[in-house]
Amino acid sequence: MLAVIKGAGDIASGIALRLHRAKFDIVMTEIESPTAIRRTVCFSEAVYNGKAIVEDVQAVLASSCDKAREIIADGNIAVIVDSKAHCINELKPDFVIDAILAKKNLGTEITDAPAVIGVGPGFTAQVDCHAVVETKRGHYLGRVYYEGTAAENTGIPGDIDGHTDDRIIRAPHYGVFNPIYNIGDIVSKGEAVACVDSTPVVCNVSGVLRGILPKGTMVTANMKSGDVDPRGIVQHCGSVSDKALSVAGGVLEACLNLYKER
């Protein structure tokens, strides 16, 4: 069974990891310059490095659909730079999973594949997809809706150990982002963890830096640029999050349910 996953950030990568382990063939699409924060658990890093390993699974950058098929045949996940997901027309997958998490539909249609799954808000089951998976933390995280939509985006990050928006590092203005610390480093509240041009970017909570943009990224004012986990467990930086795995479980459920109905 072939699944095309639109996006290769941390949630999309958790989905890809779980489906790959369930013996799905996976092709992921990405933009030319991904801006994922939790880069140690994002297959989008293959765009920059040619390859990316998340936990025990490897993704390889593909230059074409034919190359993607070769990568899959070797037991890996394929990543294609294809912002409009034109590869869907050539690959003709069994599943299309929109995990871009743009909070709106950027072009996915229910006719893209026999089973189309929207991840998070912005999709309506039976209108632009066959199923929607909830991404909001809480009681309904990972649930599958075969009618209706996911919860609306509140703009407030999920609560981790009592911290929400204050754990997010944001760019102060437009410019070039350069990190001072690396993912996995312990940082303290008020400490400069990066700079945009010559302006320091400080964190608002102490913990482990579990995500930060790469050196040289162009950012805009208030753009999410990093993430501090107040729990301070360094090992978590190298493994897919509980949220990503929960959402991935919902996607897997929807795939099997919809495949059975075909």
Side-chain angles (χ1 to χ4, degrees):
M1 294 183 289
L2 174 62
V4 169
I5 301 175
K6 299 170 72 172
D10 61 319
I11 300 297
S13 296
I15 293 168
L17 191 73
R18 178 149 276 180
L19 294 187
H20 178 82
R21 287 173 173 165
K23 306 305 180 184
F24 284 65
D25 295 328
I26 307 293
V27 174
M28 308 183 80
T29 66
E30 254 298 352
I31 59 175
E32 188 173 345
S33 299
T35 55
I37 302 298
R38 294 202 62 209
R39 294 180 288 116
T40 51
V41 290
C42 290
F43 288 124
S44 59
E45 285 295 282
V47 174
Y48 294 115
N49 304 318
K51 296 181 180 179
I53 297 176
V54 177
E55 298 190 11
D56 58 347
V57 175
Q58 179 174 252
V60 180
L61 184 64
S63 57
S64 66
C65 290
D66 285 340
K67 186 61 179 177
R69 294 185 182 98
E70 293 177 13
I71 291 167
I72 289 170
D74 288 336
N76 299 311
I77 289 171
V79 177
I80 299 180
V81 175
D82 183 3
S83 61
K84 300 297 184 182
H86 293 307
C87 65
I88 290 171
N89 296 326
E90 183 174 343
L91 292 171
K92 294 180 171 47
D94 300 291
F95 309 95
V96 166
I97 301 154
D98 191 326
I100 297 174
L101 301 186
K103 312 299 189 295
K104 59 182 179 180
N105 188 342
L106 298 179
T108 293
E109 297 181 358
I110 198 169
T111 55
D112 286 341
V116 178
I117 300 164
V119 179
F123 303 97
T124 303
Q126 307 309 320
V127 175
D128 51 14
C129 60
H130 297 96
V132 176
V133 178
E134 182 63 71
T135 57
K136 183 179 180 181
R137 287 185 184 274
H139 184 73
Y140 299 105
L141 177 64
R143 289 181 183 265
V144 183
Y145 307 124
Y146 296 99
E147 292 183 359
T149 63
E152 292 186 11
N153 177 43
T154 63
I156 301 173
D159 188 311
I160 295 181
D161 222 26
H163 296 275
T164 56
D165 196 60
D166 59 342
R167 63 183 176 82
I168 304 301
I169 297 165
R170 299 187 184 276
H173 55 73
Y174 175 85
V176 180
F177 184 89
N178 288 305
I180 297 171
Y181 286 95
N182 297 313
I183 294 173
D185 289 342
I186 300 296
V187 296
S188 300
K189 180 179 180 179
E191 189 172 14
V193 296
C195 58
V196 174
D197 298 331
S198 59
T199 305
V201 182
V202 302
C203 56
N204 298 310
V205 62
S206 299
V208 61
L209 190 65
R210 71 170 187 170
I212 198 162
L213 290 173
K215 181 179 180 180
T217 302
M218 295 301 301
V219 295
T220 56
N222 205 44
M223 179 175 168
K224 183 178 178 180
S225 305
D227 181 6
V228 177
D229 188 335
R231 294 170 295 191
I233 303 173
V234 176
Q235 293 87 341
H236 286 181
C237 296
S239 59
V240 172
S241 70
D242 54 345
K243 177 178 178 178
L245 285 180
S246 181
V247 172
V251 171
L252 176 59
E253 174 190 326
C255 285
L256 296 179
N257 220 331
L258 293 168
Y259 190 80
K260 183 179 179 181
E261 293 177 357
R262 290 172 54 185

